[in-house]
């Protein structure tokens, strides 16, 4: 994978397959500590300790359509190449949290890529699942919580074309404001 947002997409799709109805995604850049942390959490079926070990092996997969599972191993490799690490906390019946840390300024850190597009695509393709996406840069942050959109929209689905466009624009505009240094939670 050429950018970290594609790793986020892969891990979040694992959460979808695990039966989650709430997926949280946090991208936190901490320039003072020269660190970026990406956390994907879910309330899906969770994994046993053995499965947590196995999921980091590229030759293990629960999928029947292919014989290897490269998503988590690639994410781990990307983190370690930049001086970071990957951890997985999971409990059967409760869910899973995958946390990857990266050296923010490390020359070997892959670019984040189009994380706004990734989150928008996840929402559009999984309209019955709730997503909470937070992007933090230093002490500034922005959050998109689909539960809030549902309260406002009522019966209008999150993948309705006009809603999908709004969500994408919301993410792009608020991310741009965050990266330009506008204070607060846009």
């Amino acid at each position: 994978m050429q950018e970290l947002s594609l790793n986020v997409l892969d891990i979040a799709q694992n959460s979808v397959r695990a039966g989650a109805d709430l997926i949280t995604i946090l991208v936190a850049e901490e320039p003072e500590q020269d660190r970026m942390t990406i956390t994907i959490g879910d309330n899906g079926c969770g994994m046993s300790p053995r499965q947590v070990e196995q999921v980091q092996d590229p030759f293990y997969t629960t999928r029947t359509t292919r014989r290897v599972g490269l998503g988590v191993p690639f994410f781990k490799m990307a983190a370690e190449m930049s001086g970071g690490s990957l951890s997985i906390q999971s409990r059967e019946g409760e869910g899973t949290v995958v946390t990857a840390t990266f050296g923010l300024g490390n020359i070997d850190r892959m670019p984040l890529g189009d994380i706004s597009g990734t989150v928008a695509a996840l929402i559009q393709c999984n309209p019955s699942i709730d997503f909470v996406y937070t992007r933090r840069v230093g002490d500034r942050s922005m959050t998109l919580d689909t539960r809030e959109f549902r309260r406002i929209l009522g019966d209008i689905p999150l993948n309705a074309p006009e809603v999908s466009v709004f969500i994408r624009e919301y993410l792009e505009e608020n991310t741009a404001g965050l990266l330009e240094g506008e204070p607060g939670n846009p």
Side-chain angles (χ1 to χ4, degrees):
M1 294 186 200
Q2 298 293 322
E3 52 189 49
L4 296 173
S5 64
L6 297 176
N7 292 109
V8 171
L9 177 66
D10 184 72
I11 303 299
Q13 282 302 119
N14 290 345
S15 297
V16 170
R17 284 190 293 278
D21 62 10
L22 176 64
I23 299 171
T24 60
I25 300 169
L26 167 67
V27 177
E29 295 178 36
E30 301 166 281
E32 296 292 324
Q33 289 80 29
D34 190 36
R35 179 176 54 222
M36 179 170 66
T37 304
I38 299 176
T39 304
I40 303 108
D42 69 55
N43 65 351
C45 64
M47 295 182 282
S48 70
R50 179 164 167 74
Q51 287 172 310
V52 169
E53 286 179 34
Q54 289 175 321
V55 77
Q56 297 179 58
D57 177 353
F59 299 105
Y60 172 79
T61 183
T62 58
R63 296 177 68 180
T64 58
T65 56
R66 63 179 183 218
R67 298 179 65 135
V68 294
L70 296 175
V72 172
F74 276 168
F75 200 33
K76 181 178 181 178
M77 181 184 73
E80 290 174 348
M81 284 177 36
S82 73
S85 62
L86 181 126
S87 69
I88 301 173
Q89 277 75 48
S90 188
R91 294 183 67 123
E92 290 181 278
E94 294 182 24
T96 301
V97 177
V98 176
T99 302
T101 60
F102 302 84
L104 183 60
N106 189 298
I107 193 166
D108 292 323
R109 181 182 59 84
M110 285 189 229
L112 181 58
D114 185 9
I115 191 70
S116 294
T118 295
V119 172
L122 282 165
I123 294 167
Q124 183 177 14
C125 294
N126 302 285
S128 63
I129 297 174
D130 280 312
F131 290 86
V132 177
Y133 168 66
T134 302
R135 177 83 184 264
R136 194 170 29 220
V137 177
D139 61 351
R140 300 179 317 276
S141 68
M142 58 85 54
T143 298
L144 176 143
D145 186 337
T146 58
R147 296 171 297 187
E148 292 295 319
F149 284 95
R150 286 184 204 286
R151 281 193 266 281
I152 294 166
L153 294 170
D155 293 336
I156 300 170
L158 293 177
N159 62 349
E162 60 275 8
V163 175
S164 293
V165 168
F166 176 80
I167 288 172
R168 174 70 187 227
E169 289 174 352
Y170 177 92
L171 288 166
E172 289 174 352
E173 290 172 12
N174 285 286
T175 299
L178 179 68
L179 296 177
E180 291 169 7
E182 293 178 9
N185 185 0

